Amino acid sequence: MAGLDNLVVVTALPTIREKLGGSLEQLEWTVNAYTLTFAVLMLTGAALGDRFGRRRVFVAGLLLFTAASAAAAVAPGIGELIAARAVQGAGAAIIMPLSLTLLTSAVPAAKRGAALGIYGALNGLAIAGGPLLGGVVTQHVSWQWIFWINVPVGLLLAPAAWRGLAESRGPNNRLDVPGTILVSLGILGLVYGLIRANGHDGWGSPQVVGPLVGGVLLVVLFVLWERRSSAPMLPMGMFRNRAFSAVNAGGLLMSVGMYGVVFLITQFMQTIQHMSPTEAGVRMLAWTAMPLLVAPVAGIMSDRIGGRPVVAFGLTLMAAGFAYWALVMTPDVSYVEQLPGYLLGGVGIACFFAPLLNLTMSSVDVSEQGIASGSTSATRELGAALGVAALASVFTHNGGYASGQNFVDGFVPALWVGAAAVALAAVVMIFATRPAGLGEQHSAEPDSTVPVRDVVEPTQSATR
């Protein structure tokens, strides 16, 4: 659910715009309100689980996500929808990091590699499959049901998780409140400035420059605070590890390109080529269904030759797909002409997500794995928010919705920016080499994905 709701809304955007109204800036916020709170609260969600119990906080996150989904479904206006999406993202920020920790604790060490591979592949499939599900539900039921569908699932999962999962706590039970506030407001300022630049304010206006400058200053203060804090939410020393830094930077750049392009391509299909939401979602199957076919092969290849070349290869394919679209894009371009771009993007995203989790875990020491997984997930969500804002800004600077050609005039430069971001991610991932000794440690210790200082409190069902 948390992965699907990243992009489930994009194929519903034209319908939402028609039913609730809203500018391009407000449509961006229906995506970014989710990814922003998801990104900035993910490490906090993990810390809350360490402090109060992972099962307990996980169930609370499920219920919060479910309630916010219901609020989004009944939203009477675009503002209320954006607010509900922000709360949804907060629930997802609790669900995602704790789901990985709970899974690791629940699965025997001998099966943990396979479980993590399935987990990573499902995450990639969920994110890529969001546009198809959103399109089908929007056309054949209503746009509200892309949110209502979460409610029965959440209400079934919460008691099942409470009964079936063992409670555990982590070694770090202190919350970094100042760090959370600084990074949250800093990222909010950066994205808000980018989105305001898409409107009538212009890049030189105080409404744009102020939030951008303020966002940069707050992020700098966050880094300085984390360096001196006794219990940082994100220890800055981890970024001295070249592999860890490369994985985070590569994930952020990939999300900038992919999310920004998906945000625009779904509107191109529906607004310019007049496809229904279902037609748009089905045509994206060439992209979104690829993880089902390619992820197992990518996982096998990463076991044989390492995750780094597989991830770099996938990112290169994705960049090539976006560049291809930029070369062939016209208002009446046929689906057959677009198809190679979808296929390249689909294979690319499958090769990226399948080995990413093991690549992340093997880049750091055992005691840092929980923070590392939360950090890489958070940077990808941050990249999603920045990507939608940045590529939409490029789009509005060069084109708009006035005509098909006007849309393409803005879309093509945005595609080139997206291709450049993903290509740069491929270059960065080449440097994601593991520090000496970590590879041997992980291969020798199959149980290394469980923090060694975790305290497990078995439930009645776990005891049975």
Side-chain angles (χ1 to χ4, degrees), residues 5-83:
D5 276 58
N6 270 288
L7 290 175
V8 74
V9 74
V10 292
T11 40
L13 287 178
T15 302
I16 292 173
R17 189 180 187 184
E18 177 186 339
K19 301 295 184 181
L20 298 183
S23 62
L24 176 65
E25 176 181 336
Q26 291 173 313
L27 293 179
E28 288 177 62
W29 276 114
T30 64
V31 178
N32 284 343
Y34 183 88
T35 54
L36 267 178
T37 53
F38 199 167
V40 301
L41 296 177
M42 195 173 298
L43 292 173
T44 302
L48 287 170
D50 287 349
R51 173 66 178 84
F52 298 107
R54 289 163 179 156
R55 182 192 62 171
R56 182 179 294 111
V57 176
F58 178 75
V59 171
L62 276 173
L63 294 174
L64 178 64
F65 185 91
T66 302
S69 297
V74 299
I78 193 73
E80 292 84 355
L81 176 60
I82 292 169

Side-chain angles (χ1 to χ4, degrees), residues 97-269:
L98 295 181
S99 67
L100 178 58
T101 310
L102 290 165
L103 173 68
T104 303
S105 300
V107 176
K111 298 181 179 180
R112 195 164 294 144
L116 293 176
I118 293 170
Y119 180 93
L122 285 175
N123 274 333
L125 178 62
I127 292 170
L132 173 61
L133 179 65
V136 171
V137 172
T138 297
Q139 181 174 348
H140 296 288
V141 188
S142 72
W143 70 265
Q144 288 92 341
W145 273 93
I146 64 177
F147 302 114
W148 278 126
I149 198 171
N150 293 326
V151 175
V153 178
L155 292 177
L156 289 172
L157 282 178
W162 185 262
R163 288 181 54 84
L165 295 174
E167 184 63 285
S168 64
R169 287 177 170 83
N172 180 18
N173 59 8
R174 295 176 60 185
L175 300 180
D176 183 10
V177 176
T180 301
I181 294 173
L182 287 171
V183 73
S184 300
L185 294 178
I187 294 171
L188 179 63
L190 291 172
V191 175
Y192 181 77
L194 286 170
I195 292 177
R196 287 299 297 262
N198 299 340
H200 302 292
D201 295 322
W203 284 98
S205 70
Q207 292 85 352
V208 174
V209 175
L212 290 176
V213 172
V216 171
L217 290 176
L218 287 169
V219 170
V220 171
L221 289 174
F222 166 73
V223 173
L224 295 175
W225 169 260
E226 294 298 284
R227 293 183 64 181
R228 65 183 295 271
S229 174
S230 59
M233 65 184 298
L234 182 59
M236 291 293 111
M238 293 179 67
F239 289 96
R240 289 195 290 267
N241 179 333
R242 189 173 70 178
F244 178 75
S245 296
V247 168
N248 277 271
L252 185 143
L253 289 166
M254 183 282 301
S255 291
V256 166
M258 187 192 76
Y259 282 85
V261 168
V262 170
F263 177 78
L264 292 171
I265 191 68
T266 53
Q267 295 187 69
F268 170 76
M269 289 190 289

Side-chain angles (χ1 to χ4, degrees), residues 254-403:
M254 183 282 301
S255 291
V256 166
M258 187 192 76
Y259 282 85
V261 168
V262 170
F263 177 78
L264 292 171
I265 191 68
T266 53
Q267 295 187 69
F268 170 76
M269 289 190 289
Q270 295 179 72
T271 303
I272 305 305
Q273 297 202 318
H274 307 294
M275 297 180 190
S276 67
T278 300
E279 289 173 331
V282 168
R283 281 164 173 76
M284 290 191 73
L285 272 176
W287 185 349
T288 58
M290 281 295 109
L292 284 174
L293 304 175
V294 179
V297 179
I300 293 171
M301 291 303 298
S302 67
D303 288 339
R304 292 183 178 178
I305 65 174
R308 183 165 54 100
V310 175
V311 169
F313 175 71
L315 291 168
T316 302
L317 290 183
M318 200 183 306
F322 296 164
Y324 172 82
W325 273 342
L327 293 172
V328 304
M329 194 60 62
T330 62
D332 57 354
V333 62
S334 69
Y335 178 68
V336 173
E337 290 178 277
Q338 298 176 56
L339 187 58
Y342 287 110
L343 294 174
L344 288 169
V347 175
I349 196 172
C351 290
F352 175 82
F353 274 106
L356 187 68
L357 191 56
N358 275 334
L359 192 63
T360 301
M361 293 300 193
S362 63
S363 70
V364 298
D365 194 28
V366 175
S367 61
E368 299 173 328
Q369 287 180 344
I371 295 174
S373 62
S375 171
T376 52
S377 297
T379 52
R380 290 199 307 273
E381 293 300 324
L382 171 59
L386 293 174
V388 170
L391 267 65
S393 180
V394 173
F395 168 79
T396 54
H397 182 73
N398 294 278
Y401 292 91
S403 66

